[in-house]
Amino acid sequence: MSNPGNVARGLKAAISNPNNSEEAKERAAERLQQMEASGELDSREAHEDNVAIGHKAAMHNPNVSQEAKEHSAQVLDDLGRS
């Protein structure tokens, strides 16, 4: 399943892209409104996706301590995303 946050970002980009037709912008706006109305963007799954993304980034950031990287690895393991 797609990450709802990524889908929303893509829809927002389509809406603001001057190269897209008005029809495409309208479809993207409608889909984004549907996602917002359904709570899809505020779901626990969306939150966990964002948490996992942050911890994955921390593990690959050379400015993050080894202790913090180990913590991020543990969180990802707890989320089942190691």
Side-chain angles (χ1 to χ4, degrees):
M1 185 168 142
S2 319
N3 178 322
N6 289 345
V7 172
R9 279 188 289 280
L11 293 169
K12 289 176 184 178
I15 292 167
S16 64
N17 186 338
N19 295 321
N20 284 346
S21 68
E22 287 304 313
E23 182 182 346
K25 290 179 183 184
E26 289 172 12
R27 281 195 314 266
E30 288 172 9
R31 176 64 178 121
L32 185 58
Q33 287 174 347
Q34 289 172 353
M35 290 179 73
E36 290 170 345
S38 71
E40 193 174 348
L41 297 177
D42 299 325
S43 69
R44 178 169 177 81
E45 181 181 325
H47 173 72
E48 286 184 2
D49 287 342
N50 287 338
V51 169
I53 288 167
H55 283 288
K56 286 179 183 179
M59 290 179 58
H60 297 286
N61 184 337
N63 297 319
V64 172
S65 71
Q66 187 60 37
E67 182 180 348
K69 289 180 180 185
E70 290 169 5
H71 171 72
S72 288
Q74 181 61 49
V75 171
L76 288 170
D77 190 48
D78 291 347
L79 290 172
R81 302 190 186 201
S82 49

